Amino acid sequence: MGNKAIYIYTRSGCEDSQSLKKYLSRDQIPYHEIDISRSHDLESELLGLTGTTITPAIVVDQRSIFGKKKRAVFSGYVTNKSNIKRVIQ
């Protein structure tokens, strides 16, 4: 997992955000949490990345062995659960 960085955009009170954090913590998958309820600028950042302010949003940055950067972005945990698991495992 050393070639991946996982960023999750959450909002306080969002049950899906809590479910995602539990899943990542349970499987000991490191992530960086960005709580958009703390700043309008963070909400704007999320809107720019995903086109929506739905939380949680998951951004997975990966580097190939040749150094090429690849990004996967998902809005919502429950509807994207299988795709998220496939990308982060």
Side-chain angles (χ1 to χ4, degrees):
M1 210 131 155
N3 65 342
K4 294 181 185 178
I6 300 170
Y7 302 90
I8 63 169
Y9 288 78
T10 63
R11 185 187 315 269
S12 58
C14 173
E15 290 183 30
D16 279 354
S17 294
Q18 297 306 314
S19 296
L20 174 62
K21 291 192 304 186
K22 284 179 187 175
Y23 160 70
L24 294 171
S25 295
R26 183 188 69 231
D27 287 4
Q28 299 180 342
I29 298 168
Y31 63 91
H32 306 279
E33 181 178 6
I34 301 161
D35 183 350
I36 68 167
S37 58
R38 297 176 41 185
S39 162
H40 182 69
D41 289 340
L42 293 173
E43 192 169 337
S44 295
E45 180 180 309
L46 174 60
L47 184 60
L49 280 170
T50 65
T52 183
T53 57
I54 292 173
T55 58
I58 303 92
V59 177
V60 182
D61 286 332
Q62 303 178 78
R63 288 216 180 268
S64 71
I65 58 172
F66 302 110
K68 185 176 179 184
K69 190 173 180 180
K70 185 169 125 181
R71 175 174 274 181
V73 180
F74 303 95
S75 293
Y77 174 56
V78 173
T79 56
N80 293 295
K81 192 183 261 187
S82 62
N83 289 329
I84 292 166
K85 288 180 178 183
R86 182 181 43 78
V87 168
I88 63 176
Q89 294 296 328

